[in-house]
Amino acid sequence: MSRDETKYEKSLSETVEELVKSAGGWLNVIGRMTSTFDSALGRAGKLVDCPFANRHKKGGGRGKFRFTDDLNFEGRAICTCMQARGMSPVELLIEDGVATNWTKCMVKIFNALNPDSCHRHVRREVAPVVRTFYRELTQEQIVVRKEKLTLIARDLVDFNHPTAEPLRLYFALRGIPVNGNLKDVKFHPGLKYWADADVQDGEKEKKVLVGIFPAIVSAFRSKDGRVVNFHRIFINRDGTKAKVEEVKKICSSMPGFSGSSITIAKTEGRTLNVTEGVEKGWAVHLATGESVKAAYSCSSLPKLYVDKAEYDHVVIWSDCDPANPNRNRQSGDGQYFAWELARRLFTEGFDVTFMMPAGNPIDVKGRDWEDVIVQEGVLDLEGSYYRFQTLKQYAVKGGVERLHNRAA
Ligand SMILES: [Zn+2]
């Protein structure tokens, strides 16, 4: 094996992630690759004019763009021209024209940061971003965030509480009625929904109160079991989704959010099922009868923590997303990140089964596992063994299994 192969046996994304960390984080690295974001980088968390005026109609995105101040999403930018989660550092660099696709962009970052690299053609004259704003959360910030979470927690009730009818209706309407195995998914009778208000360039972000809605509130727990954030689904009294811009939101997270997950169901047995999203997680529990944890989004899947003391086998129920045209890979984001998780868990010693819905068109978002479970009547089948065998028929390659040889 050559020196290069032994040295870089990790995936490109893992290697780049480590290089970025040792270079002081994404806010520094972005500034070294391009000057486009300098004004936003200079005041992370504050709104500035969007550097991509062409993505906006009238107004050109004046005072709409900012880098997040949430340490768990370092380097992500948010703007009205983007979807709710904003854009990742790599997506921003591609949008800026630093590279034409994901892989090329990662290689450019790698070359820029790798100490052994001979072609470091980057803006090295640029002084690193002053990171006063971007340090770890202060004790004060942590106290404020914890207070907000505690305030929500105080009014949460279980699914079977008389007032929790909207939650029961929400799941029943989807064909996946809840029962006593539902774990960290609770009901809140009335949560405020805030939306971003229009502000001038350089102003701090402002919020307006849109209304108060019943909500399904799920707890993210860190490795050590602490509640580090809440996921909220805003609904109506009749169990339909609330008419708001973002039906699903998370709060500001506490330290330990990275790697955290929502425990949807916890049962006996050493198999854990992992999904993206609360409803899909519950559908998978109804089908398998087993423990389920859900990640916040596909990009948080690769770091999801699984306790070796509790589980031997992890079944990953992947989405089948259309390929992202900005990335040089055949697979969409959902399955890409789910596969990263599968690979990591296998190296940690878990047996892993990878389930991805088959028969989806490559260019549009196809059925996910909740759709398959409900539409194919899987829950009408008697016994979880037959249900799982049936689901395998709808999985790519009947599900991909990687088992460690445990024979003595
Ligand atoms: Zn914009």
Side-chain angles (χ1 to χ4, degrees):
M1 198 179 269
S2 79
R3 182 173 168 271
D4 274 5
E5 278 169 307
T6 51
K7 192 159 184 195
Y8 302 120
E9 57 193 6
K10 284 179 183 161
S11 72
L12 182 59
S13 60
E14 281 175 297
T15 309
V16 167
E17 194 180 322
E18 281 168 18
L19 286 170
V20 167
K21 202 178 264 179
S22 53
W26 277 110
L27 293 186
N28 280 314
V29 171
I30 291 168
R32 286 173 64 167
M33 306 297 293
T34 172
S35 61
T36 303
F37 306 100
D38 284 2
S39 74
L41 289 170
R43 35 186 179 181
K46 298 252 166 59
L47 289 160
V48 300
D49 294 347
C50 182
F52 309 122
N54 59 319
R55 291 172 60 98
H56 292 265
K57 285 176 193 148
K58 54 176 191 207
R62 290 187 65 81
K64 300 288 185 194
F65 182 98
R66 67 177 168 89
F67 280 101
T68 179
D69 55 351
D70 189 332
L71 193 67
N72 294 298
F73 300 100
E74 199 207 344
R76 248 177 201 279
I78 299 153
C79 185
T80 53
C81 66
M82 302 165 188
Q83 291 187 325
R85 277 182 225 125
M87 284 168 89
S88 71
V90 174
E91 286 168 332
L92 290 168
L93 291 173
I94 292 169
E95 186 76 22
D96 186 46
V98 166
T100 51
N101 61 46
W102 188 85
T103 305
K104 283 180 184 165
C105 191
M106 293 299 266
V107 169
K108 276 212 169 167
I109 298 166
F110 174 80
N111 286 336
L113 302 181
N114 176 20
D116 300 338
S117 172
C118 51
H119 31 58
R120 298 217 245 164
H121 47 82
V122 287
R123 296 175 70 219
R124 297 182 63 196
E125 77 280 11
V126 172
V129 176
V130 182
R131 286 170 55 85
T132 50
F133 186 79
Y134 215 81
R135 61 197 183 272
E136 299 271 321
L137 290 173
T138 63
Q139 209 49 46
E140 209 170 58
Q141 285 171 309
I142 293 173
V143 168
V144 170
R145 289 180 176 202
K146 196 178 167 90
E147 263 172 16
K148 281 187 184 163
L149 296 183
T150 307
L151 214 60
I152 293 174
R154 219 174 47 183
D155 293 323
L156 294 180
V157 296
D158 284 341
F159 82 101
N160 55 0
H161 191 275
T163 62
E165 182 67 1
L167 176 147
R168 294 189 292 269
L169 285 169
Y170 178 80
F171 283 95
L173 284 171
R174 300 178 75 99
I176 47 171
V178 287
N179 64 43
N181 285 340
L182 194 67
K183 188 83 191 331
D184 275 342
V185 182
K186 311 280 179 188
F187 179 73
H188 195 290
L191 272 186
K192 287 175 181 164
Y193 182 95
W194 297 89
D196 291 335
D198 280 345
V199 295
Q200 297 299 308
D201 187 15
E203 263 187 321
K204 213 174 153 58
E205 129 184 78
K206 273 188 219 155
K207 301 275 187 188
V208 282
L209 181 62
V210 174
I212 297 175
F213 299 91
I216 295 161
V217 178
S218 308
F220 288 96
R221 288 185 189 273
S222 62
K223 283 179 194 181
D224 53 8
R226 285 176 303 118
V227 173
V228 287
N229 206 341
F230 282 132
H231 177 271
R232 298 159 297 166
I233 308 174
F234 294 90
I235 59 176
N236 298 309
R237 300 227 69 83
D238 64 359
T240 55
K241 283 179 180 168
K243 280 207 171 59
V244 291
E245 206 178 323
E246 294 170 60
V247 172
K248 297 174 184 183
K249 280 188 173 202
I250 58 168
C251 303
S252 297
S253 50
M254 299 283 290
F257 183 61
S258 178
S260 69
S261 59
I262 299 167
T263 302
I264 305 288
K266 177 86 179 88
T267 60
E268 300 275 303
R270 297 190 55 85
T271 298
L272 174 69
N273 297 268
V274 173
T275 65
E276 198 192 299
V278 172
E279 302 92 331
K280 209 176 305 160
W282 183 247
V284 165
H285 167 73
L286 289 179
T288 62
E290 293 167 344
S291 298
V292 177
K293 284 181 193 284
Y296 165 49
S297 66
C298 63
S299 57
S300 55
L301 276 172
K303 285 184 178 162
L304 190 138
Y305 171 74
V306 181
D307 190 353
K308 203 82 198 41
E310 276 185 278
Y311 303 104
D312 300 319
H313 187 185
V314 181
V315 185
I316 298 168
W317 300 80
S318 171
D319 274 7
C320 186
D321 292 337
N324 186 330
N326 286 334
R327 300 183 184 189
N328 186 26
R329 53 180 187 235
Q330 292 287 297
S331 62
D333 287 350
Q335 54 272 43
Y336 177 83
F337 291 119
W339 187 256
E340 294 254 309
L341 174 66
R343 217 174 44 156
R344 197 203 90 212
L345 291 176
F346 185 76
T347 62
E348 286 179 11
F350 292 96
D351 289 339
V352 179
T353 304
F354 190 80
M355 298 284 281
M356 184 169 94
N360 281 334
I362 55 160
D363 50 344
V364 291
K365 173 120 180 121
R367 296 205 295 181
D368 66 19
W369 282 111
E370 186 193 353
D371 299 328
V372 174
I373 287 166
V374 172
Q375 290 166 11
E376 303 298 338
V378 172
L379 301 180
D380 299 332
L381 297 168
E382 206 57 53
S384 50
Y385 174 81
Y386 289 106
R387 291 185 196 139
F388 191 64
Q389 294 308 312
T390 304
L391 287 171
K392 284 179 97 144
Q393 294 174 17
Y394 295 100
V396 170
K397 295 181 183 167
V400 178
E401 226 162 33
R402 287 189 73 191
L403 308 178
H404 295 276
N405 188 358
R406 295 184 200 280

